Amino acid sequence: MVMSFRVSDLQMLLGFVGRSKSGLKHELVTRALQLVQFDCSPEVFKKIKELYETRYAKKSSEVTQPQPQQHRSPEALSIHSSYDRGSTVARTSISTTNIDYPALYGKYLNGLGRLPPKVAKPEVRLVKLPFYTTLDELLKPTELVPQNNEKLQESPCIFALTPRQVELIRNSRELQPGVKSVQVVLRICYTDTSSPQEDQYPPNIAVKVNHSYCSVPGYYPSNKPGVEPKRPCRPINLTHLMYLSAATNRITVTWGNYGKSYSVGLYLVRQMTSAELLQRLKTIGIKHPELCKALVKEKLRLDPDSEIATTGVRVSLICPLVKMRLSVPCRAETCAHLQCFDAVFYLQMNEKKPTWMCPVCDKPAPYDQLIIDGLLSKILTECEDADEIEYLVDGSWCPIRAEKERSCSPQCPILVLGSSDVNGLLPTPNGNGENGKATADVVDLTLDSSSSEEEEEEDEEEDDDDEGPQPKRRCSYEKGLVSAC
């Protein structure tokens, strides 16, 4: 009906709802279609019906005698009879008018023209995505209604972009060749109004834009046996297949009807990069060092009901994600730990595969709850030669280097190879050690163990044979003396 209106009819309709009446005819048609698709009320529908009947009544009165109600065109009769019976708009009546819009008056897709209910139902809401900033809502989340008992269903949807929206897309920068930062995306989720829904694809999904099929993210292969591969459900970019003009775009969603109910929505969004999110986080997400210090004191505060007193807590300066030194220490405000991870790598990983799970405690860490630890950022600049620190009860900190240094420094004298001592023992130096303690004897491991066994056997033979000649003993000479023999 709306497509057959004249400029005067369109202006009357738009003026009735308080919309702008200026512009060319195709702009007025676009506004009227958006009004019908998104904000159609019983009053608006009644006005559309009144304008339509008035126009056809005038046309019939110009051709025939003044009996317009009895000589209306069969086309008009077929359409209005369906309204008089209170049933849905027949598909044949729409096709006879050569209009390519299957449902101009309903809140549903699939060619079902249903009047909006008198009692407003709760709307389906989709969760906000950090990497997508919504600019306009082109189609509110609308339920996919099956047309028959077939397992494979098709749901068409038709809309047009405004000149401002087209200009935004054309003037946006390219994230990569052929991919604009401002996009028209399709989002699909379960039809559940209890809470914001995450993106969820129905089975056997296929999306056709105008005359071409759009690529849908595939499945991630699973390395575990017996585990089905998972499919990343993300917004589907339709921009490269759309008409960037005032022309209407037709989208057809093919989906599997297996009992679950799904809703689809169309949005004009601006896609962000991980670098842009990091810059935004640095601007609004830094927590002051004094607040972080107060949090440390709170964590280490003595609990009178606990028998264990905590005097300090260790925090690693190595990121648990990439095992490298932290550059931008970050954690979620909902996390109970003081350990941080690197915001740079965390955002990059979620840009490729969004999970938003804390790598330390494995609990949700969404972007809007991330903070940059100002105290740990200060520590990273002051402590460059340690990989771990310890927070103390008073909120101060100290680097942990002692164990590393002790492991590198020898605790006993260095063994000198090639020593002339027969028994394999180095002589004890005069005096005590550095700390006033006697230096421990060091065994020379370079001597063959078989030589000591042979000496023990010789001693046993000497004890058994008392009458035998005593073996000659070698004399040990001090270093630097020569035998006189």
Side-chain angles (χ1 to χ4, degrees):
M1 290 183 181
V2 176
M3 291 294 294
S4 61
F5 280 2
R6 297 176 181 176
V7 174
S8 58
D9 299 332
L10 294 170
Q11 290 176 343
M12 290 181 63
L13 176 62
L14 294 173
F16 177 75
V17 295
R19 301 288 181 91
S20 175
K21 300 185 292 183
S22 61
L24 301 177
K25 181 178 179 179
H26 67 86
E27 296 177 350
L28 299 178
V29 171
T30 301
R31 292 180 205 152
L33 290 177
Q34 291 178 348
L35 172 67
V36 170
Q37 283 188 328
F38 303 141
D39 301 320
C40 187
S41 61
E43 292 78 10
V44 174
F45 177 76
K46 184 178 180 181
K47 184 66 175 179
I48 293 174
K49 184 178 179 181
E50 178 184 344
L51 292 173
Y52 187 83
E53 290 177 348
T54 303
R55 188 177 71 85
Y56 270 91
K58 290 181 179 180
K59 288 183 65 176
S60 59
S61 63
E62 292 176 357
V63 178
T64 61
Q65 296 297 325
Q67 291 181 351
Q69 297 297 331
Q70 299 178 3
H71 294 84
R72 285 186 297 177
S73 63
E75 175 184 341
L77 288 174
S78 62
I79 294 177
H80 298 310
S81 61
S82 62
Y83 291 133
D84 295 337
R85 291 193 301 271
S87 61
T88 59
V89 178
R91 291 190 179 185
T92 54
S93 64
I94 292 179
S95 61
T96 54
T97 58
N98 296 325
I99 301 176
D100 198 21
Y101 290 81
L104 295 178
Y105 306 102
K107 288 287 184 181
Y108 293 83
L109 303 177
N110 321 302
L112 295 180
R114 297 183 179 180
L115 292 176
K118 294 182 180 180
V119 180
K121 294 182 179 179
E123 294 182 351
V124 177
R125 295 168 295 160
L126 285 149
V127 296
K128 294 183 179 180
L129 300 178
F131 288 99
Y132 294 91
T133 302
T134 302
L135 304 178
D136 282 326
E137 188 179 52
L138 305 179
L139 174 66
K140 293 182 179 181
T142 307
E143 184 179 357
L144 295 174
V145 180
Q147 297 297 294
N148 46 48
N149 295 328
E150 299 293 332
K151 294 298 182 183
L152 207 60
Q153 300 285 330
E154 285 190 356
S155 301
C157 171
I158 296 175
F159 72 99
L161 296 173
T162 64
R164 183 186 66 85
Q165 295 167 347
V166 173
E167 197 70 16
L168 282 174
I169 296 174
R170 287 180 174 174
N171 295 336
S172 63
R173 63 185 180 88
E174 288 190 350
L175 300 176
Q176 50 183 299
V179 180
K180 293 283 189 177
S181 59
V182 177
Q183 307 168 359
V184 175
V185 297
L186 176 72
R187 298 186 65 182
I188 309 177
C189 66
Y190 288 129
T191 304
D192 186 357
T193 59
S194 60
S195 62
Q197 298 296 304
E198 296 183 353
D199 292 68
Q200 185 66 46
Y201 295 158
N204 306 325
I205 181 175
V207 180
K208 187 177 182 181
V209 182
N210 295 322
H211 303 290
S212 303
Y213 280 96
C214 183
S215 60
V216 180
Y219 288 90
Y220 284 142
S222 177
N223 297 327
K224 298 180 181 180
V227 178
E228 295 183 359
K230 294 183 179 180
R231 188 175 206 170
C233 298
R234 302 178 181 178
I236 304 173
N237 185 11
L238 313 177
T239 315
H240 59 289
L241 299 176
M242 293 180 54
Y243 301 136
L244 297 181
S245 63
T248 56
N249 294 274
R250 182 184 182 93
I251 298 175
T252 304
V253 180
T254 304
W255 53 286
N257 181 23
Y258 293 96
K260 292 185 178 181
S261 180
Y262 295 87
S263 295
V264 300
L266 283 172
Y267 301 90
L268 183 70
V269 301
R270 185 186 304 275
Q271 186 175 358
M272 312 290 287
T273 62
S274 59
E276 292 173 330
L277 290 187
L278 178 63
Q279 187 60 37
R280 181 191 297 176
L281 185 63
K282 288 181 178 180
T283 304
I284 63 175
I286 299 180
K287 193 168 186 177
H288 197 273
E290 291 300 325
L291 296 177
C292 297
K293 189 175 181 179
L295 180 62
V296 172
K297 292 180 181 180
E298 180 70 20
K299 295 287 184 184
L300 298 177
R301 188 178 59 181
L302 179 62
D303 187 1
D305 298 332
S306 177
E307 298 179 356
I308 302 175
T310 305
T311 59
V313 59
R314 292 188 175 186
V315 173
S316 176
L317 303 182
I318 302 299
C319 175
L321 284 171
V322 291
K323 307 304 178 184
M324 295 173 60
R325 187 177 175 86
L326 293 169
S327 59
V328 184
C330 174
R331 68 173 181 272
E333 282 189 308
T334 54
C335 292
H337 51 79
L338 297 174
Q339 179 64 51
C340 292
F341 48 86
D342 201 311
V344 178
F345 298 105
Y346 184 72
L347 293 176
Q348 289 178 357
M349 293 176 67
N350 281 280
E351 185 178 17
K352 300 296 181 182
K353 184 180 178 182
T355 58
W356 301 105
M357 300 295 291
C358 176
V360 179
C361 61
D362 201 27
K363 293 182 179 179
Y367 176 77
D368 56 356
Q369 294 180 356
L370 296 180
I371 59 167
I372 296 177
D373 193 317
L375 178 60
L376 197 57
S377 299
K378 184 178 179 182
I379 293 173
L380 286 168
T381 59
E382 298 177 359
C383 180
E384 299 181 354
D385 56 347
D387 294 335
E388 192 175 12
I389 64 164
E390 182 176 4
Y391 286 125
L392 304 179
V393 179
D394 58 352
S396 61
W397 62 276
C398 62
I400 299 178
R401 306 190 189 95
E403 294 183 0
K404 185 175 180 181
E405 292 177 356
R406 283 199 297 268
S407 63
C408 296
S409 60
Q411 300 297 324
C412 56
I414 300 176
L415 182 64
V416 180
L417 300 180
S419 174
S420 59
D421 186 35
V422 177
N423 296 326
L425 298 176
L426 292 178
T428 303
N430 295 330
N432 296 331
E434 296 178 358
N435 298 327
K437 298 181 181 179
T439 307
D441 295 335
V442 180
V443 180
D444 188 356
L445 300 179
T446 59
L447 297 178
D448 191 0
S449 61
S450 60
S451 61
S452 59
E453 294 177 358
E454 291 177 358
E455 291 179 3
E456 292 177 359
E457 291 177 358
E458 290 178 359
D459 293 340
E460 292 177 358
E461 290 177 358
E462 290 175 2
D463 296 337
D464 295 337
D465 190 8
D466 296 333
E467 299 178 356
Q470 297 292 332
K472 296 182 180 180
R473 296 181 179 274
R474 291 182 293 176
C475 297
S476 58
Y477 302 98
E478 294 183 4
K479 188 175 181 181
L481 298 180
V482 182
S483 175
C485 301

